[in-house]
Amino acid sequence: MADTEKLVTFTVNDRKLAAPAGTLLIEACKTANVEVPSFCYYPNLSLQAACRMCLVEIEKMPKLQTACTVLVAEGMVVQTESEPVRKARKSALEFILTNHPLDCPVCDAGGECELQDMTFRYGAAESRFVEIKQHRDEQQWSPVVYFDRPRCILCYRCVRVCGEGMDVWALGVGNRGVSSVIIPNKQDHLECEECGMCIDICPVGALTSGAYRYKTRPWEMKHVANVCTFCGDGCKTTLGIRNDEIVRGDNRDKSGINGDFLCIKGRYGFDFTQHKDRLRQPLVRVDGVLKPVSWAFALQTVARRFQETQAAGRPIGVLGSTRTVNEENYQLQKFARRVLQTNHIDHHRTADFPALYDALAGKHSPVPLAASEDLKTAKAVFLIGSDPTNEHPLLAWNLRWGYRLNKTRLYLLNSQPIKLRRQAFRAAIVPAGSEGQAIRFLNGGGAVKATLSQTAGPDDKRWPQTPASRPEATQETLGDFRERLQKESDVIIVFGAELRGDDIHELVKFGSSLPGTTRYIALADNANSHGAADMGLYPDLLPGYTPVADVAARQRFESLWGGAIPSAPGMDAGDILGTAGKGELGALYVVGSNPFRHHPVDPAALRTTFVVVQDLFLTETAKQADVVLPALSAYEKQGTLTNTCGEVQLQKGGALFEGAKTDLEILHTLAGLLGHKWAAPDADEIFTEIRGNVKGYNVSLVQVLAGSSALSMSVNGPVPHQHALTQIQPNRDSLFTAGSLGRYSTALNAILEKRLRAEKV
Amino acid sequence: MSIFSPQLNTRFDELLKRYPVPRSAMVPMLLYAQDELGYLTPEAIREIAARLDESELAVHEVIGYYSMLRTKPAGRFHVQVCTNISCLLRGGEEIFEHCKQRLGVNNHGVTPDGLFSLEEVECIGACSWAPAVQVNYDFHENLTVAKLDQVLDKYRTGGVQ
Ligand code: SF4
Ligand code: SF4
Ligand code: SF4
Ligand code: FES
Ligand code: FES
């Protein structure tokens, strides 16, 4: 890392430049807008110096030097455009091209290939090489990774990103010299996390993706920034859309909070949008069977039945979504409270945000929440529960980044030896369910047995994979864990659903006792889980965690929404479903959620309940509905989403899907049919209302609209919130599953099938 | 259960003590394993990877790098003919061609009876006595086609090793 205190001055092409000591020459040139071409150099990966494309002339050095490995030095005089340099570049290209096929017309990388660009710019038009080129057929290494060996220029970026970045180490180099070749870990195929990082980092078309290969050209697509709709980390995925259909996802422009990182879901999971089972027409149950009907008929049916239920004085329950945008969630709870006059509203909870905000009450400044990127530079991170590698791939990537580049000390408290233990500074393995007790121990109370595995520290890059035989440690060793942790300052505390309610208060108590500024990240599972909580999809909490029972707060929203809302807290999801199971619920309105998958309700009990489901697919819940309304997916609409850290980002949509409507449009139409004059469904207008009225959401509009993220801060004051902690039910997703939605991704299924087949063999 | 003999395992134990980083022992381990088994079987690779706490891929990378390490069976007598510069100047290529004829196999081939395998190699450090051929660990130097035939015959009749 560059030593920022000391600047050195040097000359490049007769320009005087300065850069911090320790800066690589290639980076210093880039900062000064001096182009030094490169292939193998990739920022934040280890140095390779394999391609010789970055050669420059440095005075007093006998030969040309690789700018990607030389550090700037005081008084250094550099030429990047001299005749020897130009010649060297040309030769480097000629050399690389000796065995490169003339594939450009069919190659996926055509049009965005670094080799193409460089050859165009610096290359030789003719080759002196007359030998026969070595050909090898394209190989399929996994459902998503294909390898076209002759195109490979041996830059080893793929090998490094898979090993250093992903900590998977699935790619290697076979043979030697001219016959060097990239090889997969299972001889002729890959067994890996299928993230596709290697494909996107490949400067040429040697590694190509199963989803995109031979489909289209970069200039035939529009590229629209979206937030991944799968886990709660909120990666930006730039969708390549051709003829209104998504054909690829990547983030090569490194524009989001995730840089160029995406896991398989963000990169290839988008194909659910074109799944053949996608609903294209509303369905209404007639004589026991769901029949396709017109939108008008379906919506009128819903409005009429809601009115009848209200008139009969029977309860209506509303279950919202953790994938729909903030604007839709906000309007949904407004619809429930104002139009349906019910507080029986909830969502699938995977983290206890109210408890966190309650515990943080009064700690406004400095900001007690950490953004995802902060993990890359943290001095110390305390991670309790969860398995980020599977459940929060971006945060895991950032944690590995911090460990690798900034020597972050990771303290791990978990019931499982999760993969991130390989980056851990200290790891305490405690019995499942005793995480809360362990936190109490850290606060000086209680006893907990922990298996404490000690690592060699951040310099040891490949910590043993199987710390199987470590002795069961006693309280003293967890004591050692505590002692070390207490000496850390500016710690970021990241915790999973293992901690909830009082445990979180204990955690914040511990965090507050640490030196410096302690910041927190609560891990929730779905793309907008945090947003759903912030927007008030709770029976007792209005947007911004203001209690519905709080008269002043309620009145504020009543005047904003032009009328009364019920004052008593409603039923939570468990009670709503329980009431339905007893046949006592009048209506159930489910938006983008599939509660019956894990909590089946007896169809007989539902006979007197009017069930409306608004979703993309005929889920377990939708199959039992009286009316099914086809909704558009996250990639087909605009709005904002809040990731698990609280970062608000813009969703731009871009894809089109015939027949379905946005949840927002459906809500507004229903409100109209039920006699409420809502303005046109305009996500921007609603976001303005949210910014003005939901505490913590007065984020910078410019920042959000410009496509970057803004950290929301819903820490306002105490959050009196009584609820059953059992309502928090994490998905426990793997890298290849995503609640109910992942099941409709062909790419994810292909991986799961491949793994099942491999297990059987 | 180890697939290696107890003697070899003892040798591995000693090797591992010699280096600060376990994986430094990889090359000698592979070489000795190959001597014992004839070639590096998938099981041998797996076991060595596990002992070094490395991935099998990392072991494959090393095997691929060194041409003397092999993952396919060789003959009982592995005939390595040098055709590098000194040997080339003194008839190495003829020796190699002759081997092909005599053994009826090409480079990297194994005779059907499994007795011989043939490989064209780079300098084996016997330049002063070129042309030279190495059979397993034995050197045969200052060769002519006729001398080579005698050498091969000796191996065939089991007179050697
Ligand atoms: S897809 Fe990801 S895990 Fe698999 S080889 Fe490529 S970089 Fe490695
Ligand atoms: S496959 Fe691509 S990224 Fe990997 S070494 Fe070859 S050119 Fe570089
Ligand atoms: S880490 Fe999460 S948000 Fe990022 S691409 Fe993967 S599933 Fe999507
Ligand atoms: S970029 Fe410097 S050698 Fe490849
Ligand atoms: S060239 Fe054959 S032994 Fe040296």
Side-chain angles (χ1 to χ4, degrees):
Chain A
M1 275 280 104
D3 174 359
T4 39
E5 279 137 57
K6 236 178 79 209
L7 280 185
V8 295
T9 50
F10 52 98
T11 314
V12 176
N13 303 342
D14 306 324
R15 261 175 75 197
K16 274 234 167 313
L17 299 176
T23 307
L24 286 168
L25 181 55
I26 197 169
E27 284 292 335
C29 288
K30 199 201 275 172
T31 312
N33 251 330
V34 176
E35 186 173 291
V36 176
S38 65
F39 285 116
C40 68
Y41 174 70
Y42 200 84
N44 300 308
L45 291 180
S46 64
L47 304 179
Q48 188 81 44
C51 71
R52 323 310 285 180
M53 195 58 203
C54 66
L55 290 172
V56 294
E57 213 178 339
I58 303 177
E59 230 177 72
K60 300 203 181 83
M61 294 205 183
K63 287 193 279 184
L64 299 183
Q65 301 292 314
T66 47
C68 69
T69 55
V70 172
L71 301 180
V72 290
E74 191 59 46
M76 192 179 246
V77 180
V78 184
Q79 294 295 335
T80 69
E81 296 296 337
S82 64
E83 200 41 41
V85 171
R86 240 190 291 265
K87 260 186 158 161
R89 277 177 196 161
K90 214 166 156 180
S91 312
L93 278 169
E94 192 183 353
F95 185 62
I96 288 168
L97 288 170
T98 48
N99 201 44
H100 197 86
L102 286 173
D103 264 359
C104 304
V106 294
C107 176
D108 278 350
E112 51 185 7
C113 170
E114 294 177 34
L115 181 58
Q116 223 175 29
D117 294 349
M118 301 264 203
T119 307
F120 186 71
R121 192 127 185 211
Y122 305 105
E126 68 275 341
S127 165
R128 285 172 286 176
F129 187 78
V130 289
E131 280 76 4
I132 292 171
K133 300 201 179 206
Q134 294 180 13
H135 178 74
R136 271 292 292 276
D137 285 343
E138 185 187 46
Q139 306 162 44
Q140 180 175 12
W141 282 349
S142 86
V144 305
V145 186
Y146 284 71
F147 182 55
D148 207 314
R149 176 174 169 180
R151 291 183 193 156
C152 172
I153 63 167
L154 292 169
C155 68
Y156 311 117
R157 284 189 196 175
C158 55
V159 175
R160 285 172 288 155
V161 80
C162 181
E164 298 164 19
M166 295 301 297
D167 193 24
V168 173
W169 308 92
L171 295 172
V173 188
N175 302 338
R176 168 171 43 127
V178 279
S179 19
S180 294
V181 57
I182 301 302
I183 49 172
N185 59 355
K186 297 289 154 180
Q187 316 260 30
D188 60 348
H189 70 278
L190 274 169
E191 207 175 281
C192 69
E193 296 186 2
E194 314 278 4
C195 62
M197 288 300 292
C198 52
I199 298 170
D200 278 359
I201 210 169
C202 181
V204 294
L207 285 164
T208 56
S209 105
Y212 174 72
R213 56 193 267 288
Y214 300 133
K215 277 212 179 131
T216 187
R217 292 297 196 174
W219 58 85
E220 288 172 339
M221 298 180 277
K222 53 180 177 159
H223 305 271
V224 191
N226 275 280
V227 178
C228 169
T229 190
F230 291 100
C231 90
D233 291 355
C235 293
K236 175 137 152 234
T237 171
T238 303
L239 299 177
I241 298 171
R242 192 191 58 180
N243 300 335
D244 304 326
E245 229 177 80
I246 309 169
V247 279
R248 86 172 178 194
D250 67 38
N251 206 34
R252 290 180 210 218
D253 62 359
K254 306 185 188 179
S255 54
I257 54 170
N258 44 317
D260 53 4
F261 175 80
L262 282 175
C263 81
I264 176 166
K265 289 182 246 184
R267 204 174 254 121
Y268 305 118
F270 60 77
D271 60 0
F272 73 87
T273 52
Q274 290 299 327
H275 193 281
K276 62 172 177 31
D277 294 345
R278 222 25 230 273
L279 296 168
R280 284 183 183 269
Q281 227 184 325
L283 307 169
V284 169
R285 193 170 295 279
V286 186
D287 302 327
V289 188
L290 284 170
K291 295 249 166 74
V293 296
S294 71
W295 268 103
F297 180 75
L299 290 170
Q300 275 154 10
T301 308
V302 175
R304 179 173 50 82
R305 297 289 302 269
F306 276 163
Q307 255 161 353
E308 287 166 9
T309 313
Q310 269 180 301
R314 300 190 68 211
I316 304 181
V318 178
L319 294 176
S321 174
T322 49
R323 295 196 201 279
T324 51
V325 294
N326 286 328
E327 291 71 13
E328 291 167 335
N329 290 345
Y330 179 83
Q331 292 300 79
L332 177 68
Q333 60 83 37
K334 188 194 280 182
F335 180 81
R337 297 191 153 107
R338 187 62 202 105
V339 179
L340 299 179
Q341 286 293 312
T342 178
N343 274 328
H344 305 315
I345 177 166
D346 206 343
H347 67 286
H348 172 206
R349 308 180 196 177
T350 54
D352 196 348
F353 290 112
L356 176 65
Y357 289 130
D358 188 32
L360 289 176
K363 299 191 193 337
H364 289 269
S365 98
V367 180
L369 298 186
S372 47
E373 261 192 329
D374 295 335
L375 293 173
K376 286 182 169 179
T377 49
K379 284 193 269 180
V381 175
F382 180 22
L383 171 67
I384 305 111
S386 182
D387 178 6
T389 309
N390 280 303
E391 297 166 311
H392 296 277
L394 170 65
L395 299 189
W397 165 268
N398 288 357
L399 284 166
R400 289 192 299 267
W401 182 296
Y403 163 80
R404 188 162 57 91
L405 299 166
N406 295 320
K407 296 197 187 306
T408 301
R409 285 178 298 279
L410 174 63
Y411 291 79
L412 210 101
L413 184 80
N414 208 300
S415 63
Q416 302 297 322
I418 56 169
K419 191 177 160 200
L420 275 172
R421 75 185 185 284
R422 285 153 52 115
Q423 282 74 30
F425 177 65
R426 284 292 182 279
I429 311 294
V430 299
S434 69
E435 293 86 354
Q437 221 183 317
I439 303 299
R440 280 186 184 77
F441 172 80
L442 296 181
N443 273 332
V448 149
K449 273 198 169 179
T451 307
L452 190 69
S453 29
Q454 307 205 346
T455 84
D459 292 327
D460 175 14
K461 131 167 154 266
R462 293 167 81 173
W463 192 43
Q465 301 189 18
T466 43
S469 57
R470 293 181 197 273
E472 174 125 326
T474 56
Q475 203 180 315
E476 280 79 43
T477 46
L478 192 57
D480 169 57
F481 186 94
R482 172 173 61 193
E483 218 166 89
R484 282 177 183 276
L485 193 47
Q486 277 168 339
K487 288 201 194 92
E488 299 286 358
S489 60
D490 304 318
V491 178
I492 298 181
I493 297 184
V494 185
F495 62 97
E498 286 82 353
L499 297 184
R500 38 184 91 169
D502 291 343
D503 291 347
I504 296 178
H505 282 86
E506 282 288 328
L507 181 69
V508 171
K509 187 173 143 197
F510 177 69
S512 307
S513 74
L514 296 174
T517 310
T518 305
R519 288 174 296 167
Y520 299 83
I521 296 175
L523 299 174
D525 290 343
N526 296 334
N528 206 21
S529 289
H530 201 150
D534 292 350
M535 291 306 122
L537 297 191
Y538 281 112
D540 57 341
L541 297 173
L542 291 162
Y545 304 92
T546 31
V548 71
D550 175 332
V551 184
R554 199 176 59 243
Q555 280 171 352
R556 197 163 53 80
F557 280 110
E558 284 178 334
S559 67
L560 179 67
W561 299 339
I565 55 176
S567 59
M571 294 187 280
D572 65 21
D575 287 341
I576 292 173
L577 294 173
T579 310
K582 282 188 262 165
E584 289 167 11
L585 197 68
L588 178 63
Y589 183 21
V590 181
V591 176
S593 179
N594 186 16
F596 294 176
R597 183 179 179 198
H598 296 296
H599 306 277
V601 175
D602 180 9
L606 284 177
R607 217 166 293 146
T608 57
T609 308
F610 173 62
V611 181
V612 187
V613 174
Q614 196 165 304
D615 212 325
L616 278 62
F617 297 100
L618 206 59
T619 60
E620 287 85 344
T621 312
K623 280 192 185 123
Q624 294 203 39
D626 297 289
V627 178
V628 181
L629 303 173
L632 285 173
S633 81
Y635 300 148
E636 293 142 359
K637 61 168 90 158
Q638 284 85 42
T640 60
L641 292 157
T642 307
N643 80 350
T644 192
C645 308
E647 292 161 280
V648 182
Q649 298 181 90
L650 195 64
Q651 185 77 356
K652 291 201 180 143
L656 284 187
F657 188 81
E658 216 46 48
K661 289 185 191 298
T662 64
D663 296 279
L664 196 64
E665 187 183 341
I666 300 173
L667 279 171
H668 278 244
T669 314
L670 281 176
L673 289 172
L674 288 163
H676 288 253
K677 287 200 182 62
W678 283 15
D682 178 341
D684 290 347
E685 296 280 315
I686 299 161
F687 187 53
T688 307
E689 182 174 329
I690 292 172
R691 284 182 63 243
N693 296 283
V694 180
K695 288 190 195 161
Y697 271 75
N698 48 353
V699 292
S700 153
L701 194 58
V702 178
Q703 222 167 312
V704 175
L705 291 183
S708 55
S709 65
L711 194 62
S712 66
M713 262 289 307
S714 296
V715 181
N716 316 304
V719 184
H721 173 61
Q722 299 286 325
H723 68 284
L725 297 178
T726 49
Q727 288 299 309
I728 296 166
Q729 291 165 349
N731 291 349
R732 294 287 173 239
D733 277 320
S734 76
L735 272 171
F736 313 115
T737 65
S740 289
L741 186 61
R743 303 180 297 180
Y744 300 97
S745 159
T746 315
L748 295 179
N749 284 332
I751 309 273
L752 290 171
E753 278 163 27
K754 178 190 119 182
R755 298 205 153 201
L756 277 179
R757 271 201 305 274
E759 264 168 39
K760 273 197 204 126
V761 174
Chain B
M1 263 305 284
S2 172
I3 64 156
F4 303 119
S5 67
Q7 293 86 325
L8 187 55
N9 271 313
T10 319
R11 201 164 181 186
F12 285 172
D13 292 339
E14 274 156 23
L15 264 176
L16 283 164
K17 278 188 224 137
R18 276 194 226 159
Y19 305 97
V21 190
R23 72 162 176 215
S24 306
M26 193 188 288
V27 171
M29 279 171 85
L30 288 170
L31 207 52
Y32 296 145
Q34 175 169 288
D35 285 347
E36 183 166 292
L37 302 171
Y39 69 106
L40 295 164
T41 61
E43 296 74 30
I45 293 169
R46 198 169 311 139
E47 189 171 328
I48 289 175
R51 277 198 77 152
L52 298 174
D53 208 358
E54 287 290 335
S55 66
E56 287 173 40
L57 178 69
V59 178
H60 276 288
E61 286 181 299
V62 169
I63 297 174
Y65 189 89
Y66 292 105
S67 54
M68 284 169 76
L69 297 173
R70 55 178 176 263
T71 51
K72 293 213 175 69
R76 197 169 135 222
F77 303 113
H78 188 50
V79 182
Q80 298 151 74
V81 184
C82 174
T83 56
N84 211 306
I85 190 73
S86 305
C87 295
L88 180 91
L89 290 171
R90 294 184 45 89
E93 292 228 297
E94 275 161 69
I95 300 279
F96 182 56
E97 283 309 312
H98 185 72
C99 279
K100 281 195 199 163
Q101 304 268 307
R102 265 301 300 271
L103 299 175
V105 294
N106 272 324
N107 193 16
H108 295 295
V110 185
T111 56
D113 57 5
L115 208 53
F116 290 103
S117 49
L118 178 64
E119 189 180 353
E120 182 180 12
V121 298
E122 302 305 329
C123 179
I124 51 176
C127 310
S128 304
W129 307 280
V133 163
Q134 188 186 341
V135 182
N136 295 350
Y137 283 110
D138 293 330
F139 281 74
H140 302 278
E141 292 141 356
N142 291 317
L143 290 174
T144 58
V145 167
K147 266 170 105 181
L148 177 80
D149 280 341
Q150 288 170 17
V151 170
L152 292 181
D153 284 343
K154 264 206 228 161
Y155 283 107
R156 193 185 301 280
T157 52
V160 181
Q161 281 198 343

